[in-house]
Amino acid sequence: MRKQYSFENSKKLWLEAQDIIPGGSQATRAPLYPEFPTYFKKAKGCRMWDVDGNEFIDLLCSIGPIILGYAYDRVDNAVREIMKDSFQSSMNHPIQLELARLLIEVIPCAEQVRFLKTGTEATQAAARLARHITKRTYIARCGYHGWADMWWYGKTEGIPKAAWETIPRFNGAAEDLENLFKKTNEPFAAVILCPADTRPFTKENYQAIVDIAHRHGALVIFDEVKTGFRTSLGGAQELLGVTPDITTVSKGMGNGYPISAVVGKEEYMRRMPETPTAGTFSVEAISIAAAIETIREIKEKNVVGHLWNSGQRLIDGLNKICRDYNMDEPRAYADPVPSMPRFTWKSGEDNPQHPVHQYFFGECVKYGLFFSQWHVAFVNYSHKNEDIDEALDICDFVMAKTKKYAANISGNANYKKAVVHKSNPVKAAT
Ligand SMILES: Cc1ncc(COP(=O)(O)O)c(C=O)c1O
């Protein structure tokens, strides 16, 4: 019989943090509740250990960045080496050129490169560049691009409407972009899309988006912060064979070290110094050293092939479990590629708060599998078949419990409504 973990130490720290850290957590994404581990202090490969000594197989990989594995020797050794010399100054470090050359070699649209630290910085810099070059303001968007004022949508405290009202969304299909251009009747500076969110995920659709944008005089930005290095070494653009003008990358680039980049065609990138991208830490070379070794390792070891195989093994295993338990609604699928598997229930597809979702994923965490209904899963190069099979064993065990849980609540009026966790998690803890 499996034993459910307890999170007493995590919970204690989390409650103490309420007084000194807004919301009690620097991690701004779920799961953020006292009955889950909130403090991890060690990680290696595809496993993590929390402050209660619980061991987890990780299927979130820091929401994407951990592409090779935690504490990956080749990457961390390069970091240790650069720390002995110099990694931060008011000028450049020579290894910048190495990383720039690598990115130019692997990303189809890359002819020049600007380094930054986060995905949000990169998308903001790319958008600003497009606005500067075209002397236009409107940007059509599809997907998540970070937390800057311009990318938030709808009325939000602290964000002026002026920041986002010129950034309308399209649904991912080329025809919808065409309609948006017509309907808005404004000149557009750019179209930005996240390939993880833009459907259909086909060469035809993406090429049509590029063609429509260009016909309207707009630049095309692929925001490959999430899909870069994971869908293919050169990102979704390489996989689909469609080349944008500008691309943003981050997450998988440095195996967890904070780095991002705007890359693109020379005719656009050379205009970058005309508009500010001033960052004290853009020269910081710890992350640059990490990124060089991360990208070399991905290239030399067929890491992408491994990620696809591991992801597919997880997808197949989850679907088999659903069949074994006669759960007809849940399904696992590549979103958009097997290295980014998603597991969901039809009835709650747009609602990760559905109680059966909450129950399944919550129980997984309580039995040693770090998995969340709020995100696609991410696998890394250190997930071996045995790890995926062990993860599936936990899912199998939890699915048996979930099935009973679902049967118990299916007659309940809240079944479709779905709010297990209320908005004040501190109260829930006490
Ligand atoms: C496609 C995409 N763009 C931008 C971002 C923002 O990156 P960051 O969280 O590093 O600011 C994210 C983060 O999830 C992302 O997935």
Side-chain angles (χ1 to χ4, degrees), residues 129-423:
L129 179 64
R131 282 175 161 173
H132 166 60
I133 290 169
T134 58
K135 301 290 175 237
R136 297 170 169 192
T137 304
Y138 274 72
I139 296 176
R141 64 175 292 183
C142 181
Y144 180 73
H145 306 296
W147 61 277
D149 281 7
M150 64 187 303
W151 300 133
W152 227 250
Y153 24 78
K155 191 171 169 342
T156 307
E157 295 305 325
I159 301 184
K161 192 174 169 210
W164 51 264
E165 68 182 349
T166 51
I167 311 207
R169 286 191 275 182
F170 72 107
N171 71 10
E175 308 81 72
D176 199 53
L177 177 66
E178 187 79 73
N179 291 339
L180 179 70
F181 280 148
K182 276 200 200 111
K183 192 175 74 190
T184 315
N185 198 24
E186 291 281 350
F188 275 72
V191 175
I192 182 168
L193 62 85
C194 165
D197 302 319
T198 304
R199 299 288 183 280
F201 187 69
T202 60
K203 180 179 174 71
E204 293 66 35
N205 186 45
Y206 278 58
Q207 191 58 57
I209 289 171
V210 171
D211 295 343
I212 292 166
H214 285 169
R215 194 154 28 80
H216 286 265
L219 298 184
V220 178
I221 305 166
F222 280 9
D223 176 4
E224 299 234 39
V225 164
K226 196 150 117 191
T227 51
F229 314 98
R230 196 170 263 285
T231 43
S232 169
L233 178 57
Q237 60 196 270
E238 182 185 47
L239 186 70
L240 296 176
V242 178
T243 308
D245 302 304
I246 298 170
T247 296
T248 53
V249 283
S250 181
K251 298 198 186 233
M253 181 175 172
N255 196 45
Y257 289 88
I259 186 159
S260 65
V262 182
V263 306
K265 295 178 182 165
E266 191 264 348
E267 62 179 302
Y268 306 121
M269 292 297 292
R270 71 181 159 77
R271 308 282 305 275
M272 208 135 202
E274 297 164 16
T275 171
T277 46
T280 305
F281 292 113
S282 296
V283 293
E284 177 273 301
I286 288 180
S287 315
I288 293 178
I292 291 170
E293 292 312 319
T294 301
I295 296 171
R296 284 190 181 142
E297 185 78 346
I298 298 173
K299 218 174 110 182
E300 289 165 20
K301 300 266 179 73
N302 186 22
V303 168
V304 176
H306 179 92
L307 300 182
W308 278 53
N309 289 338
S310 300
Q312 193 59 52
R313 192 176 182 93
L314 182 67
I315 290 168
D316 293 344
L318 286 168
N319 282 325
K320 178 175 179 310
I321 290 170
C322 295
R323 284 196 303 277
D324 290 350
Y325 285 92
N326 291 323
M327 303 279 287
D328 54 344
E329 283 194 334
R331 67 197 172 103
Y333 59 97
D335 191 17
V337 293
S339 53
M340 298 160 78
R342 191 180 287 276
F343 187 36
T344 189
W345 275 262
K346 239 182 175 172
S347 57
E349 215 153 34
D350 297 322
N351 185 4
Q353 288 196 331
H354 189 281
V356 183
H357 277 72
Q358 299 232 27
Y359 183 84
F360 176 82
F361 287 97
E363 291 300 294
C364 280
V365 174
K366 291 174 195 166
Y367 287 94
L369 180 64
F370 209 65
F371 199 11
S372 168
Q373 75 270 35
W374 297 96
H375 302 281
V376 288
F378 294 99
V379 286
N380 72 47
Y381 187 56
S382 301
H383 281 106
K384 303 299 174 213
N385 284 347
E386 307 82 81
D387 300 306
I388 299 293
D389 293 348
E390 196 179 323
L392 287 167
D393 281 347
I394 297 172
C395 290
D396 187 296
F397 169 79
V398 169
M399 190 56 89
K401 295 181 70 173
T402 303
K403 187 148 177 156
K404 284 191 200 134
Y405 175 79
N408 278 342
I409 67 156
S410 60
N412 179 324
N414 281 335
Y415 184 73
K416 296 263 176 216
K417 263 201 269 149
V419 182
V420 173
H421 293 297
K422 300 276 186 234
S423 57

